[in-house]
Amino acid sequence: MPRTSDARERLVRSAVQLFLTRSYQSVGVEELCAAADVRRGSFYHFFPAKSDLAKAVIDHHAAALWERLDQAAGASPASDGGASPASEGAAEAAARLHAMADAVGEIQSGFEARFGRVVGCPFGNLAAELATTEDGLRAHLAAVFAGWQRRLAVLCRAAADRGALRDGVDPDLLATILVAQFQGMILLAKTGRSDASQIPRALHQVIAANLRERA
């Protein structure tokens, strides 16, 4: 019999899968409780509303993304601003940007292996579905996207400081472009049913186009 003590975790895990493979709006509280083997009363004990569960799901995915990006940065996990890479050469700074592309690609490949197809970005999916209807969730997602951009900006600024970026490239704008590129490629892969390997390939090309030839 499932333990009451891990009921919250089971609800979050069930919602992670159902929101990814279906949608937030199409999954009701009764279905979530059945999938997690949790009573309805227990659901509302942990989450006053379904939107509160969605925030926990967002935080679950964000924690996994932050860990991957921190690994790409070659630093231990850090708070929202990310970690500043230590002194390094232009080649190493460029390599860390490419490692970021591999990291986000691995996340999507993991989803693809688990669900048999590209199911989309958990943040992008929810943003497309709820940004104009659920203001609290919109703000929660906006904070995640801002944190993602900040982490990438740390890597882009390090690359700029070490002479890895081409003249005139704005590292903060490049970080924003990389997030947008990632989201766009996932959407195309999801709707066109292409495989997840195309996502990091596109990111590598964007990064390479903004690096000096020898970086």
Side-chain angles (χ1 to χ4, degrees):
M1 174 179 290
R3 296 177 299 168
T4 303
S5 60
D6 66 353
R8 185 184 187 280
E9 181 183 351
R10 296 201 311 276
L11 282 165
V12 173
R13 287 201 309 264
S14 297
V16 163
Q17 177 166 335
L18 289 170
F19 291 169
L20 261 179
T21 56
R22 300 256 301 280
S23 70
Y24 172 83
Q25 297 288 11
S26 70
V27 179
V29 170
E30 291 292 348
E31 185 175 1
L32 286 163
C33 290
D37 197 9
V38 170
R39 294 180 179 178
R40 189 180 180 93
S42 295
F43 179 97
Y44 289 110
H45 171 73
F46 295 110
F47 304 105
K50 191 172 77 165
S51 60
D52 294 301
L53 174 58
K55 290 178 182 177
V57 169
I58 292 166
D59 292 341
H60 171 90
H61 286 297
L65 177 60
W66 298 162
E67 182 178 4
R68 293 294 185 93
L69 293 184
D70 285 330
Q71 289 172 355
S76 57
S79 61
D80 197 43
S84 296
S87 59
E88 58 193 10
E92 187 173 353
R96 291 187 180 197
L97 280 174
H98 283 295
M100 176 279 304
D102 289 330
V104 294
E106 287 165 7
I107 291 173
Q108 283 298 309
S109 293
F111 288 152
E112 184 180 41
R114 181 178 175 185
F115 300 117
R117 59 187 173 88
V118 175
V119 292
C121 170
F123 313 123
N125 289 354
L126 287 170
E129 185 180 3
L130 303 170
T132 60
T133 60
E134 294 269 358
D135 196 57
L137 286 177
R138 180 203 59 75
H140 209 73
L141 286 163
V144 170
F145 280 116
W148 191 352
Q149 289 176 240
R150 282 194 290 272
R151 278 172 163 77
L152 297 190
V154 168
L155 297 179
C156 292
R157 289 181 201 136
D161 290 344
R162 289 154 182 81
L165 296 185
R166 292 181 182 275
D167 292 340
V169 173
D170 181 336
D172 293 318
L173 179 58
L174 178 57
T176 302
I177 290 170
L178 290 173
V179 173
Q181 182 74 35
F182 179 45
Q183 289 296 317
M185 286 301 299
I186 291 176
L187 180 61
L188 291 175
K190 178 182 177 181
T191 56
R193 290 291 189 265
S194 59
D195 62 81
S197 67
Q198 301 301 312
I199 297 165
R201 284 185 63 191
L203 284 169
H204 285 305
Q205 286 197 17
V206 173
I207 291 167
N210 286 277
L211 294 174
R212 294 184 188 275
E213 291 186 6
R214 295 183 180 180

